[in-house]
Amino acid sequence: MTARRVVVAGAIVADRRLLLAQRGYPAEVDGLWELPGGKAELGESPESALRRELREELGVEVRVGTALRESVALRHDLVLVALRAYIEDGSPRAVEHRALRWVDADELRSLHAEGSLVPADTAWVPELLVDLARRPGPS
């Protein structure tokens, strides 16, 4: 049996807004919005992978929080997990994406309804909407 490789996604919420990144490739997701992240290297923990990926993709340092409940099977050997992340240093910039966008709950609902989210990330919309509705507090 082949071990599943992990792909991590960062759910960065600040001031009741979620950071989304717009894909430029591959063709089937070109122009769609996603939680930023990428593949964990062999032997790398999901937390370490997310810190590395967000540093490379957004130019920020983050503190990694709890995982969202759902995981998404991308292929038989690849699973996508999302972790909450909190920016500790830097301002996000689109290094590997077309654009970045901070969205509130209504905008996230709209993007989901119009099919503008990467399909794999839609599993987290209900939980992210709960996170966006929470009052800001100590993290």
Side-chain angles (χ1 to χ4, degrees), residues 6-138:
V6 174
V7 178
V8 293
I12 301 171
V13 175
D15 298 322
R16 292 188 175 177
R17 293 189 178 272
L18 173 70
L19 183 65
L20 295 177
Q22 189 177 40
R23 296 292 307 238
Y25 65 91
E28 61 270 13
V29 292
D30 183 26
L32 299 181
W33 296 91
E34 69 175 354
L35 299 179
K39 289 181 185 169
E41 301 294 333
L42 292 177
E44 186 177 36
S45 72
E47 295 81 7
S48 293
L50 185 62
R51 281 190 292 274
R52 178 183 52 75
E53 285 288 341
L54 295 182
R55 186 178 316 114
E56 292 171 2
E57 288 190 7
L58 304 177
V60 296
E61 296 297 327
V62 299
R63 176 175 51 83
V64 178
T66 58
L68 277 73
R69 288 186 291 274
E70 297 289 325
S71 62
V72 179
L74 298 174
R75 300 189 314 233
H76 73 283
D77 63 339
L78 208 57
V79 64
L80 177 63
V81 297
L83 302 161
R84 291 173 178 88
Y86 308 91
I87 296 174
E88 292 194 317
D89 189 43
S91 295
R93 63 186 192 283
V95 175
E96 296 184 10
H97 289 87
R98 276 191 187 170
L100 300 178
R101 177 178 180 184
W102 289 97
V103 299
D104 63 18
D106 289 338
E107 292 167 310
L108 181 60
R109 275 189 207 89
S110 293
L111 288 169
H112 184 238
E114 66 193 34
S116 294
L117 297 176
V118 169
D121 287 15
T122 62
W124 302 310
V125 169
E127 193 170 357
L128 291 168
L129 289 171
V130 170
D131 284 3
L132 292 171
R134 287 199 177 114
R135 292 195 105 133

